[in-house]
Amino acid sequence: MSRIMRFDHVGVTVRDLNKVTAFFVGLGLEVEGRTFVEGDFIDTVTAIPDSRTEIAMLRTSDGGTGVELSSFVRPDPQPGSPAAMANELGLRSLSFEVDDLQARVDRLAAEGYGLVGGIGQYEGAWRMAYVRGPEGIIVSLAERLS
């Protein structure tokens, strides 16, 4: 029987690859690589003929699960819902554990990225907040309370 070996990455399609990459690098991820992909492989996988995309792969410093940012050169990207709420169907957030939630939220606010709601606390174990980043991407930041 076939089995999943590990959770490797989450893919996010974006319009401005530089801006979104900078956002995630600012959160603490590291760029693992960046390249263009076109030809039979990408056409087959995406079912989009004659496509070309630029991809940036980012990971945490421990080499864990990655974030693949993909920006289509052709065909033109199709807009999503940049103000999606948490109850809109589909992928809603990427979650990261941080060591100082308030400091991270303050730094992102200084860069123009605001909270979706507020900072919540769950059963005395976690503090968490949703931050809306570039292109409407929601990042969940969680701090474990000792």
Side-chain angles (χ1 to χ4, degrees), residues 67-146:
V67 176
E68 178 190 84
L69 302 175
S70 177
S71 181
F72 277 83
V73 176
R74 66 173 188 265
D76 289 336
Q78 298 300 306
S81 177
M85 295 301 291
N87 65 338
E88 186 173 317
L89 298 178
L91 181 66
R92 283 301 113 225
S93 68
L94 302 176
S95 292
F96 299 96
E97 184 176 346
V98 298
D99 59 357
D100 186 340
L101 177 63
Q102 190 63 57
R104 192 65 58 141
V105 166
D106 291 345
R107 189 184 61 68
L108 290 169
E111 295 175 12
Y113 301 111
L115 293 174
V116 172
I119 295 176
Q121 186 167 316
Y122 180 73
E123 295 185 352
W126 291 95
R127 290 180 67 227
M128 190 175 94
Y130 280 178
V131 175
R132 190 172 305 275
E135 300 189 23
I137 296 170
I138 296 175
V139 176
S140 169
L141 301 175
E143 177 183 8
R144 186 184 308 267
L145 301 173
S146 300

Side-chain angles (χ1 to χ4, degrees), residues 20-31 58 104 107:
V20 179
T21 298
F23 173 78
F24 281 105
V25 167
L27 281 176
L29 276 70
E30 299 171 358
V31 177
L58 299 99
R104 192 65 58 141
R107 189 184 61 68

Side-chain angles (χ1 to χ4, degrees), residues 1-5:
M1 179 175 173
S2 174
R3 66 185 178 97
I4 292 176
M5 303 297 291

Side-chain angles (χ1 to χ4, degrees), residues 30-35 55-58:
E30 299 171 358
V31 177
E32 186 176 75
R34 189 164 169 163
T35 191
I55 294 172
M57 181 62 77
L58 299 99

